[in-house]
Amino acid sequence: MKKGKVILGSAIALVLVILVVVTSVVAKTYDEQITYWWSGTFTDAELSVEYTADEALENGRQVSMEQAAEGVVLLENKNGALPLSESERNVSLIGYASHNPVYCGAGSVSWNTTGDRSDFYDAFEYYDFTINPSLREYYTKNFGDRDTKEGQAEMTGGDFTIYDREISDYENLLVEGGKSGDVAIVTLARMGGENNDLPMDMGDETLLGSVSLSDHKTSYGDAGKSYLELQQVEIDMLKAARENYSKVIVLLNTCNAMECGPLEEYADAVLWIGQPGGRGTYSVVSCLIGETNPSGKMVDTYAYEHESSPTFYTSLAGTYENFDEFASVTNNVNGVEYTIDNKVDGAINYYYENIYVGYKWYETADAEGFWDTVSNEYGDGYEGVVQWPFGYGLSYTDFDWEVTKTDLGDIHGQISIEVKVTNKGSVAGKDVVELYFASPYTEYDKENGIEKAAKSLCAFAKTDLLEPGKSETVTLKLDVDELASYDAKGNGCYLLEAGDYMLYVSTDSHNVKEGIEPIVYKVAADAVYNDDGVGKRSSDLVVAENQFDIAYTDGNIGTEEKPYLSRKDFENTNPNTFLGNYIRKLVINMSPEMVEYMITSVGGSDVDLTAGDTYKDPDFVFASDQEKGIMIDDMKGIAYDDAKWDEFVAQLSIDEMIGTLKEGFTGTLAIDKVGVTATANTEGPSGVSSLNSNKAGNQYAAEPVTAATWNVELAAKIGSAIGKEAVTGGFASINGPAMNTHRTPYGGRNGEYYSEDGFLAGKIGASQVKAQQGEGVYCLIKHFALNETDNGRGGMYTWTTEQAIREIYLRPFEYSVKEGGASGVMASYNRIGPMETCTCRGLNNQILRNEWGFIGTVATDGYSKDMTGKYMIVDNQIFAGAGTLLFIGDWSIENTGLSANILESDYGKEMLFKNAKNFLYRYVNAEGAAGTTLDLTRYWLIPLIALCVLLLAAAVLVTFKITIPGIKGTESKKKAKKGTA
């Protein structure tokens, strides 16, 4: 018995001691995360604004509903099926998504909810509809939530379940509904999210991504169909609705373009609602009854078949067969050893389509007669290929347009076109005027690989609400320099060729407004945008020059065998012709030349670490720890190039300068001696998120809904509302908005990105960024750049042309920096060619800073030395002009991965100094950072220490009460036995 007490007492004491040790280790490792969580839960932000957190939230609720309402797109309205009349208030809500809509996408955007979320039952009842009770009971009783985190899909991608069942399961309930109501509202939803792209075959594991189909519950999907096609259970549902109801209204609850051909047979009206956010269901019903007149326009092209796009077979990522030749490389540079994981997730993608993304492909192919042989049930030529063009959207009223004035400026000047819009219908409404241009496609272009789209959006304007008979004149403005194309192979800069440029005042990408003739802009002679020609573009600080030659080819692309898509020969350069299969199923090898480059370079970066101080500014002299008594508040209003900034930054020690590299998954560090406080950071593409804190705001509609408003003033209103919520939550920065491109419908994070068109995304994004930052928070616009494929994004090799990079993928970032004044950028995980984006000097230093004039910090996506640090080499990042770390884990200089190549080199110290200056300039110019902060005192240490003391006391008590008496009893027993013997 005594021996048993010894064992029991020892075990209990050991467990208690282990708990203390484990608790202490966890507390040390996650010190920062716990502090921010505690602050968000138990302490309030110290506010320096005139509104309260409740007022900010209420304002955000109203703005989010306005956003969702104005982003609704009316796609079909046969025989005036909508708006619903007062007598049409009996409805059947059909489809699982009517019971559980997709409010927003998966991943980082799914964590921003206050619980203030309303489904369609709430919304229809609010507007006094009677809802088919049998169907409601069926969905409520038989279905739970999606595979979700706080109501949305988990961090590792979307839930790709087709929840709707065979029609035999509930057809009788439709019949009952048909007796009590005459309107069917059918909701079709699709989910997307971070870390996974959408399945391209619901029965093929290889066409999903990194997780199995079984993990993502693809039940009731059809093998051989993609996730974005209508599945048989959905077609049967639509057919039954058509048979049982006099009117069928379809809601498309998706930010990924679907194949919707069957809707033409079954639907009387179709509304695209995107992902409408927490309270957007009310906005949708408002549109259904005509309280709001839909005025949204499409942000993506909806084709009948996705195979018609040259991006189809490369929508997902492939992999290299010969990764083993260069997967792990160790290089020694200046005595520093770098071991690089060149494989990481092991993914590659070729943007074979060149500039021909979305409507730029469909309209140019149409201009070249590519669709002439098409004839199917939907129509002939283009009409049989595209169901709803980019920029398309109907209204409950009609508008007349009249061009009243044109002003066609010269090179470096502006084009201005005034259009009078008149509401000639019987109800109030808003209209969008769109302007597209077509460049001359010349022999020089064909010889030098310059591609020209037949239509490119270059300006747009939205009217205010116009009452019947009322007019408004809107002005379409663009810089003449915006008409130039990037000439990578010839002049290595932008080029505006001589010829006639056609300007089309249009209702969408395909249809010029009836009665308005094209406007011709004549260029008399070639304008070469270099120092020997007409100089830089008006919006640039310096001449734009090639930065991505190495991203053009690795031996498998840009060749005669596998060329980039070219207008000079669409038939033979179309990748869907010569690939003949999904890239995931092809055998591809990196070329020997590129393998050699990956072995000899440090992680494929264009930075030359051996060059060292040749990057250095000869006039820069590093200085630190120079006490001047200058505080951060003294720097308000001081120009960036004022010498006082150098004096101010020189007060910091080198360790403090390194500390400014920590952007932080949760926030930034304090620098007490100059009055800089620690700040908090939040996710933000759909509103203030609780992903990295315990504060959250309203769940706004997804970014494509914002873009679908085509309303830059409303985008500013949204940015301002989100900014106010961030400030009252104590946040100084927002990770967002996100600026990548809907290259394909299958992009996992299309719900986080505005559009397939960079101009629309850029103008909307710039307006939102400017307003958000105007409220006192700075934005980390993301993901910079070419993060269009989410599965395998870590270190993904992305190959494309410089023209496509500049004209398609960088365009939204460019406007958000130049016009929006973005002061923060988040890099992407992927590579451009062989160069990981945050280690690419051409991207972060030459283009972002020197060409665009960016002043601020470039952060990684989530970073830790032992995870992403295996290929995102921090030394390269510093030399590239990036280097700020969205740091996860226990902060220390050792854990950054910085080496002597930075810490002991003149240029390295110069860049640490400049990064500190950039950070502090951004800090003092964001009132949220300088004036509204969370209380980050580690109050949680008190209960933690108390807990540890109690555990140790309990261990001591157990030791003295059980273990030691047990030992003594055992020893007495042994002595007694010995004495007896």
Side-chain angles (χ1 to χ4, degrees), residues 564-580:
Y564 285 103
L565 185 62
S566 178
R567 186 171 178 176
K568 68 182 180 183
D569 187 2
F570 275 160
E571 189 66 43
N572 292 306
T573 60
N574 192 328
N576 289 2
T577 300
F578 64 73
L579 285 179

Side-chain angles (χ1 to χ4, degrees), residues 752-767:
E752 284 189 55
Y753 307 146
Y754 290 112
S755 172
E756 71 182 24
D757 182 69
F759 180 83
L760 174 64
K763 291 293 184 177
I764 294 291
S767 183

Side-chain angles (χ1 to χ4, degrees), residues 157-160 190-202 207-209 213 226-229 254-258 306 315-316 584 744-751 789-791:
D159 170 15
F160 304 129
R190 292 298 186 268
M191 171 71 82
E194 188 168 355
N195 288 342
N196 262 287
D197 298 303
L198 277 55
M200 297 190 71
D201 186 330
M202 296 296 278
L207 293 178
L208 173 61
L213 288 169
S226 81
Y227 177 58
L228 295 176
E229 292 179 67
T254 175
C255 287
N256 297 78
M258 296 175 63
H306 291 155
S315 293
L316 303 178
R584 287 187 62 84
T744 84
Y746 296 90
R749 297 177 87 167
N750 280 10
T789 309
D790 226 61
N791 176 61

